[in-house]
Amino acid sequence: AQSVAQPEDQVNVAEGNPLTVKCTYSVSGNPYLFWYVQYPNRGLQFLLKYITGDNLVKGSYGFEAEFNKSQTSFHLKKPSALVSDSALYFCAVRDIAGYSTLTFGKGTMLLVSP
Amino acid sequence: DTGVSQNPRHKITKRGQNVTFRCDPISEHNRLYWYRQTLGQGPEFLTYFQNEAQLEKSRLLSDRFSAERPKGSFSTLEIQRTEQGDSAMYLCASSVGAVNEQYFGPGTRLTVT
């Protein structure tokens, strides 16, 4: 079975500081990995994905994520946080061979203070 | 491209009643997914369609739940004999193929009283 762990329920960071939201995964084969963001009263919005290739993936709104196969991690990062980045972030995984559906983590609330 | 739309946005129903939700995916997206999200949790997969064929159903999808996607366009999710435990946000998503990212609608919030 595939699974995702987001070990932090909440991450607090000051505006202008770098941020990291952690994600680890478990799949039987090779993973496809995704990050989504959810703002209040809005649907999930796609941020970025890792399919294959470079381990550092760049996405929307200045976010990036680093795929680390040995540590089975896919942490979300941004060099300089904005107050408007405050939202709920979800990591998701699917196995390349086998499950065709996404498994999501429980989410991490990011709070960026002015 | 108007995005994924879902109707209604909110539904309050009494226990034992039937409810039906509709999802209109992004045009030309051949895959359509249904998820359920409860407070403090990530979306949980319910079922998905490739065109009009329902290819996979989660064990979360009890026999009170049924989904259709006639003609491979919009989809409906029906819950019969609703229970209080069915209260949740029901999310629809669509994608082009299996590899690409899924685009989510705003969801339908169901409250069963």
Side-chain angles (χ1 to χ4, degrees):
Chain A
Q2 55 193 38
S3 65
V4 173
Q6 293 183 242
E8 302 152 318
D9 291 335
Q10 185 169 305
V11 170
N12 297 297
V13 64
E15 188 173 33
N17 284 356
L19 69 87
T20 299
V21 182
K22 296 180 180 177
C23 170
T24 59
Y25 66 90
S26 174
V27 295
S28 56
N30 291 316
Y32 292 147
L33 293 155
F34 302 81
W35 275 101
Y36 285 83
V37 59
Q38 188 173 38
Y39 296 99
N41 300 316
R42 295 177 65 178
L44 279 77
Q45 296 179 28
F46 168 74
L47 277 180
L48 51 79
K49 66 182 177 183
Y50 172 82
I51 302 297
T52 187
D54 289 340
N55 290 340
L56 185 64
V57 178
K58 294 187 182 298
S60 306
Y61 313 119
F63 284 93
E64 58 189 27
E66 186 169 10
F67 171 63
N68 188 317
K69 188 172 183 177
S70 64
Q71 298 185 4
T72 61
S73 67
F74 189 56
H75 300 331
L76 181 70
K77 299 180 179 183
K78 188 174 182 181
S80 179
L82 299 173
V83 172
S84 57
D85 292 330
S86 298
L88 188 56
Y89 289 81
F90 291 97
C91 181
V93 68
R94 65 151 286 207
D95 200 328
I96 290 177
Y99 291 99
S100 55
T101 58
L102 285 179
T103 297
F104 284 83
K106 291 185 176 182
T108 298
M109 178 63 72
L110 173 66
L111 293 177
V112 181
S113 56
Chain B
D1 182 354
T2 58
V4 178
S5 61
Q6 292 185 247
N7 288 289
R9 294 291 305 274
H10 303 273
K11 179 69 177 179
I12 300 174
T13 190
K14 293 184 177 180
R15 187 177 55 187
Q17 297 296 306
N18 299 343
V19 295
T20 299
F21 310 140
R22 176 178 170 127
C23 171
D24 287 90
I26 294 172
S27 57
E28 293 125 28
H29 280 195
N30 60 338
R31 288 203 168 201
L32 186 148
Y33 307 80
W34 285 99
Y35 293 85
R36 182 172 67 187
Q37 186 178 19
T38 54
L39 194 63
Q41 301 294 322
E44 295 174 295
F45 167 76
L46 293 177
T47 188
Y48 88 89
F49 293 83
Q50 180 163 299
N51 299 314
E52 67 276 8
Q54 187 173 17
L55 296 186
E56 190 173 342
K57 293 191 289 186
S58 163
R59 58 183 172 78
L60 293 176
L61 210 68
S62 76
D63 56 5
R64 296 185 296 107
F65 288 69
S66 62
E68 295 182 340
R69 192 184 183 196
K71 302 179 182 178
S73 55
F74 71 93
S75 176
T76 58
L77 177 68
E78 180 182 18
I79 309 174
Q80 296 181 327
R81 306 181 303 281
T82 52
E83 302 173 356
Q84 286 188 321
D86 296 332
S87 296
M89 178 74 83
Y90 289 85
L91 299 170
C92 176
S94 67
S95 70
V96 177
V99 174
N100 293 316
E101 60 273 19
Q102 297 176 21
Y103 290 88
F104 283 79
T108 295
R109 182 169 296 283
L110 173 66
T111 302
V112 182
T113 62

